[in-house]
Amino acid sequence: MSPKLILSINAGSSSVKVSIFTYISPTTEPKQLADIQISGLTSPPATLKYSRDGSQQISNKEILSVRSAQDAWAYILNTLINDHDFTALQHPDDVEFACHRVVHGGDYERPTRIDQDTYHHLEALSDLAPLHNAGALEIVKAVHDKCPKTTNIAFFDSSFHATIPAPAKTYAINQDIARKNGLRKYGFHGLSYSYITRNCASHLSKPASETNLIALHLGSGASACCVQNGQSIDTSMGLTPLAGLPGATRSGDVDPSLIFHFTHEAGKLSPGSTKDMHITQAEQILNKESGWKALTGTTDFGTISSKAGEGDEMCKLAFDIFVDRIVGYVGSYYVKLNGDVDALVFAGGLGEKGSALREAVVRKVGCLGFEIDGGRNEKPGDEVVVDVGKEGARHRVLVCQTDEQAEMAGQCAKEADDLRRP
């Protein structure tokens, strides 16, 4: 059987990242061949990065002609096809599957082939997540236009959390209105938590179905997840990714009435709204003008962490707020798991690279039986999952290099027969 190509596509508001995988059959793990990314769509000039076979081919090349997600996809496809040393992809028809990370999937519980009906349903869901789904839907259109024989598959960041029980996902509001409008907790970062659960279970030599984790996906968007027997039973994000932990530009949880005291124009459309995407001033302020940026002037948490250690007052406050909110979820989820916890897991850019953040969080939850090893924490290594906890501690502390692109490709390969177009 000849190898087939899967593209894992992650389209945000300002970037498009594509990872290229090959697979032979549903029983074989996909092999990654290349990564290509265009960033800076909202702050031109856009820049291109391209790596193949473990080596950098193009680094931060400025592209003046690329200004939209459609432009980015066309440029990415042309770059791959015109790389004569990359023989796996020489024509658009060589791509069997394009996997699209869609943040908000509503009631979709599994990967879904995108046809006309599915696409219109996802468009309707964009009203729940106008700042998060639009980029993915633009790329679906672009792939369909340029690669008409490719099967487009939606992978939903909310699907992993379909197992959250009713008491945890239900808001205390009128339930007739809630059901009619889909107003409940959905949760996000699900592709990451699926990858974390599988790989941490393997590292712990346990079946995923018997693994209990408190998992932290910490990046510019941050969340926590409570995993019991391999399934999500609670998570910090809610109806949208705004709920829960603060992020680079997100407020995280605030008193719902705060925004009406912050501005008298909360319900008005923001200047960034379009005829297809309605964003209120409240959504704009709490999603794009809050978080660490509002506190410190920067979205770079590495800089914030360093300056906090040097005594910068606002950076220290931002660092301490983040730690405070994280440990609140760790404590809550520890109780939900009745103390039966296999590991506390750090993942995401900050979770994987932030040794000071990990140390501060683990120190605060030391009363629960978590302890960190200073040496391991400073140099955790390059494995997918590593222990940074102290030997003999009651519970393990792990760092997982999560990979949402690989998770999409892996799930796609396993379910290829069901997902393939008839």
Side-chain angles (χ1 to χ4, degrees), residues 160-420:
F160 183 72
H161 304 294
T163 50
I164 293 177
K169 72 181 180 184
T170 303
Y171 296 122
I173 59 174
N174 182 295
Q175 287 304 291
D176 291 335
I177 295 173
R179 280 189 290 271
K180 180 181 176 183
N181 295 297
L183 305 179
R184 63 170 177 84
K185 175 181 284 192
Y186 290 93
F188 304 95
H189 288 143
L191 288 164
S192 176
Y193 288 126
S194 179
Y195 184 91
I196 290 165
T197 301
R198 261 191 322 107
N199 284 275
C200 286
S202 176
H203 180 81
L204 296 165
S205 301
K206 298 185 71 170
S209 60
E210 297 175 12
T211 300
N212 296 343
L213 304 172
I214 299 171
L216 305 170
H217 179 109
L218 307 177
S220 57
S223 69
C225 182
C226 185
V227 177
Q228 185 175 56
N229 297 325
Q231 296 185 327
S232 174
I233 63 166
D234 204 358
T235 190
S236 56
M237 288 179 168
L239 174 69
T240 74
L242 179 60
L245 297 172
T249 62
R250 292 179 190 147
S251 65
D253 280 345
V254 295
D255 183 321
S257 65
L258 175 146
I259 193 63
F260 300 105
H261 296 274
F262 190 92
T263 174
H264 295 301
E265 299 183 341
K268 292 185 178 178
L269 292 181
S270 75
S273 288
T274 67
K275 67 182 179 67
D276 298 317
M277 186 168 66
H278 301 151
I279 302 168
T280 64
Q281 291 280 19
E283 289 171 305
Q284 177 70 22
I285 291 166
L286 295 177
N287 276 288
K288 297 293 186 181
E289 299 170 13
S290 299
W292 317 322
K293 184 179 181 181
L295 292 167
T296 67
T298 181
T299 59
D300 186 338
F301 199 80
T303 298
I304 292 169
S305 182
S306 297
K307 287 188 174 181
E310 295 164 4
D312 183 293
E313 187 177 337
M314 290 309 295
C315 286
K316 185 175 185 308
L317 177 61
F319 185 91
D320 290 345
I321 286 172
F322 199 36
V323 171
D324 177 81
R325 304 305 191 266
I326 293 169
V327 301
Y329 282 105
V330 174
S332 171
Y333 294 167
Y334 191 88
V335 172
K336 287 200 173 206
L337 293 170
N338 297 310
D340 183 10
V341 180
D342 291 305
L344 171 63
V345 187
F346 291 86
L350 306 181
E352 294 163 25
K353 297 172 185 173
S355 57
L357 179 63
R358 291 194 299 265
E359 195 276 332
V361 169
V362 175
R363 187 176 66 248
K364 284 274 191 182
V365 297
C367 60
L368 302 177
F370 299 101
E371 297 180 67
I372 207 158
D373 182 291
R376 288 177 173 178
N377 185 48
E378 286 299 326
K379 296 180 178 178
D382 296 326
E383 294 88 355
V384 173
V385 181
V386 294
D387 279 86
V388 295
K390 189 175 285 186
E391 292 285 349
R394 193 187 317 161
H395 302 294
R396 307 275 282 274
V397 180
L398 306 176
V399 176
C400 177
Q401 296 194 42
T402 191
D403 191 337
E404 293 156 321
Q405 311 286 94
E407 184 64 18
M408 284 194 286
Q411 289 187 29
C412 182
K414 284 177 185 172
E415 300 185 37
D417 291 341
D418 292 331
L419 294 172
R420 196 174 284 115

Side-chain angles (χ1 to χ4, degrees), residues 126-138:
S126 290
D127 285 342
L128 284 177
L131 292 165
H132 309 290
N133 276 13
L137 294 178
E138 277 189 68

Side-chain angles (χ1 to χ4, degrees), residues 91-109:
H91 189 276
D93 291 351
D94 292 335
V95 180
E96 183 180 22
F97 291 106
C99 303
H100 301 267
R101 177 182 173 231
V102 179
V103 172
H104 210 308
D107 292 327
Y108 284 106
E109 295 185 5

Side-chain angles (χ1 to χ4, degrees), residues 27-54:
T27 58
T28 59
E29 197 71 24
K31 177 187 175 185
Q32 185 164 350
L33 303 178
D35 265 320
I36 186 166
Q37 178 169 349
I38 291 179
S39 306
L41 296 178
T42 54
S43 53
T47 58
L48 173 73
K49 289 182 182 178
Y50 174 36
S51 61
R52 170 173 47 76
D53 302 322

